[in-house]
Amino acid sequence: IVVQSGTTIANTASNVGSGSYPSEACTGNCADYRGVQTRTRSGYLCQRWDDKTPHNTNPYNSTAYPLSGLDGNNYCRNPVKTDQTNVASTIWCFTQSKEKVWELCTPIGVFAA
């Protein structure tokens, strides 16, 4: 699957087999992003939002941010509440590295079929 800037990534077999592709698109600060990106700008693998190690992700969980797509995954997201003023500029995640707590991710655009 080819994405923006000619970068090639592998999609999961379940998505390819079903013909259903997740959207990698987002607008503004990407609070609406629901893609499947799992790596930060520097290449760190994202930690699952429901894991507590190596970093305690509280208060970022699906109960506190029910509309942010944090359920049982390690996808880059920008969890936002409507009354929140401290919001990241784009998607991000906690990393699986003990040395790097979190990092921004770069939205990769829309999948081209």
Side-chain angles (χ1 to χ4, degrees):
I1 296 170
V2 178
V3 293
Q4 178 178 324
S5 302
T7 304
T8 303
I9 64 170
N11 203 345
T12 62
S14 62
N15 287 337
V16 173
S18 70
S20 172
Y21 298 99
S23 173
E24 290 293 322
C26 68
T27 57
N29 65 7
C30 292
D32 61 346
Y33 175 80
R34 293 299 176 271
V36 293
Q37 191 170 334
T38 60
R39 298 260 176 197
T40 69
R41 289 180 176 177
S42 298
Y44 289 101
L45 186 61
C46 295
Q47 174 182 313
R48 286 177 53 111
W49 292 96
D50 56 356
D51 281 352
K52 302 301 177 222
T53 58
H55 310 291
N56 187 345
T57 61
N58 281 329
Y60 296 99
N61 58 61
S62 58
T63 302
Y65 293 85
L67 304 177
S68 293
L70 306 181
D71 292 329
N73 66 64
N74 68 329
Y75 303 141
C76 298
R77 295 287 186 254
N78 191 5
V80 175
K81 293 181 182 178
T82 54
D83 60 344
Q84 192 172 349
T85 56
N86 185 19
V87 178
S89 60
T90 190
I91 55 176
W92 62 277
C93 68
F94 290 98
T95 78
Q96 291 187 15
S97 169
K98 291 181 181 180
E99 290 76 38
K100 185 77 166 177
V101 177
W102 70 276
E103 187 172 54
L104 294 175
C105 304
T106 301
I108 56 176
V110 179
F111 282 123

